[in-house]
Amino acid sequence: MRQKIVAGNWKMNNDLAQTEDLLGQIKNQWQEKEGVRVIVAPAFTNLHHAFESLRKYSIDVAAQNMNENSEGAYTGEVSARMLTSIGIKTVIIGHSERRAIFKETDEVLAKKVNAALENDMEVIFCCGEELSERMGERHFEVVKSQLEKGLFQVSEENWKKVVIAYEPVWAIGTGETASPEQAQEMHAFIRKTIAEKFGQTLANEVAILYGGSVKPENAQEIFAKEDVDGGLIGGASLKAPDFLAIVNAF
Ligand code: G3H
């Protein structure tokens, strides 16, 4: 049985007071949903607070990024060890905003994945094509290349600590969601690509999340698809009732 996961990526939203408020609302309305793992990813400055605040709840806290180096003269950056020292054991790597805005290359992402795994962290590795790539029918090729260059260096043993998030860039924050069929088609392709390299047994165990304008209204239909193991939620994760409704969509 694969893990089912609903993760909220809060991106660069919420100062400390707003974080406290959102966490308070989540906790007030929280009812554990059996078999579904819930993760929230606040900004760096609020990670410690979120971790302490959620200690008694079965909600994990993830970072949205980290640096690939262990320490040194990298002004403004945060290392895996800094994250684990405050209890953070999961990190999102390769989000399309990191790739596009901060120019993170496949090579850098591969190093980040390795650094996270070396520090015994879990990685949520994001992949997904841009609109022009889908229009040009290159979406499978693009996602395969992102996986091969950023993730396929991972040893079989370490795949236990890898979750994949498929996020078509054209569906992020746009209100336009991939259809459940489009999501399923890509998720099945990702699983097949992993199977070809690492074997079907390993591929069957990897959780693959869908991200891109998931809301309470469409979550159930998307999560019902065979190869969709949950969601990486942006905008809707900033409202506790919507986020929890998505958790309950399983
Ligand atoms: O990490 C989350 C994704 O970028 C999805 O964002 O739900 O606002 O479209 P969204």
Side-chain angles (χ1 to χ4, degrees):
M1 268 294 277
R2 285 193 291 272
Q3 286 194 86
K4 291 186 169 124
I5 300 172
V6 176
N9 176 8
W10 294 359
K11 307 192 178 182
M12 198 175 76
N13 294 294
N14 294 336
D15 60 19
L16 181 58
Q18 291 167 319
T19 298
E20 280 171 350
D21 186 45
L22 181 52
L23 289 169
Q25 287 183 44
I26 291 173
K27 290 194 290 189
N28 281 339
Q29 297 164 43
W30 175 244
Q31 282 180 319
E32 197 168 333
K33 171 95 178 170
E34 210 187 314
V36 182
R37 181 172 163 219
V38 178
I39 304 174
V40 293
F44 282 132
T45 51
N46 300 318
L47 281 174
H48 185 55
H49 176 80
F51 179 78
E52 292 299 330
S53 168
L54 294 172
R55 236 179 218 287
K56 293 197 192 111
Y57 293 76
S58 46
I59 300 175
D60 292 333
V61 180
Q64 300 172 16
N65 178 35
M66 54 165 256
N67 188 273
E68 65 274 26
N69 295 291
S70 53
E71 63 185 348
Y74 302 100
T75 302
E77 293 294 285
V78 170
S79 71
R81 193 161 59 85
M82 290 170 182
L83 293 171
T84 57
S85 74
I86 58 165
I88 305 302
K89 297 200 178 104
T90 302
V91 59
I92 300 171
I93 290 180
H95 191 280
S96 64
E97 288 148 20
R98 302 290 324 168
R99 293 177 188 263
I101 305 169
F102 301 100
K103 310 290 175 221
E104 293 188 358
T105 61
D106 292 315
E107 291 67 32
V108 167
L109 297 177
K111 287 183 186 167
K112 291 190 180 207
V113 167
N114 294 345
L117 294 171
E118 277 161 20
N119 283 275
D120 209 22
M121 293 184 78
E122 172 190 46
V123 169
I124 301 177
F125 182 83
C126 302
C127 57
E129 80 285 358
E130 294 184 11
L131 182 59
S132 60
E133 293 163 338
R134 181 162 280 262
M135 301 300 270
E137 299 192 353
R138 298 206 304 116
H139 44 299
F140 292 121
E141 178 192 324
V142 167
V143 169
K144 185 174 186 187
S145 165
Q146 290 172 341
L147 294 171
E148 286 177 345
K149 293 181 181 156
L151 200 55
F152 277 15
Q153 77 286 1
V154 170
S155 68
E156 284 189 24
E157 176 62 19
N158 274 339
W159 271 88
K160 285 191 214 78
K161 300 190 84 72
V162 173
V163 171
I164 293 175
Y166 167 60
E167 301 204 310
V169 180
W170 47 272
I172 296 177
T174 58
E176 189 175 343
T177 320
S179 68
E181 291 69 32
Q182 284 173 318
Q184 167 58 26
E185 184 183 38
M186 183 58 88
H187 284 223
F189 173 78
I190 291 171
R191 205 175 300 289
K192 178 168 85 69
T193 305
I194 299 169
E196 282 166 2
K197 168 96 174 159
F198 296 96
Q200 194 66 53
T201 309
L202 186 150
N204 285 345
E205 283 165 11
V206 180
I208 307 176
L209 316 183
Y210 169 79
S213 298
V214 178
K215 339 179 231 291
E217 299 77 49
N218 59 24
Q220 195 163 21
E221 223 187 337
I222 297 171
F223 294 171
K225 291 293 176 190
E226 190 185 341
D227 286 290
V228 178
D229 305 305
L232 180 56
I233 321 298
S237 71
L238 297 170
K239 294 188 187 123
D242 285 2
F243 184 57
L244 295 173
I246 293 170
V247 172
N248 283 306
F250 262 116

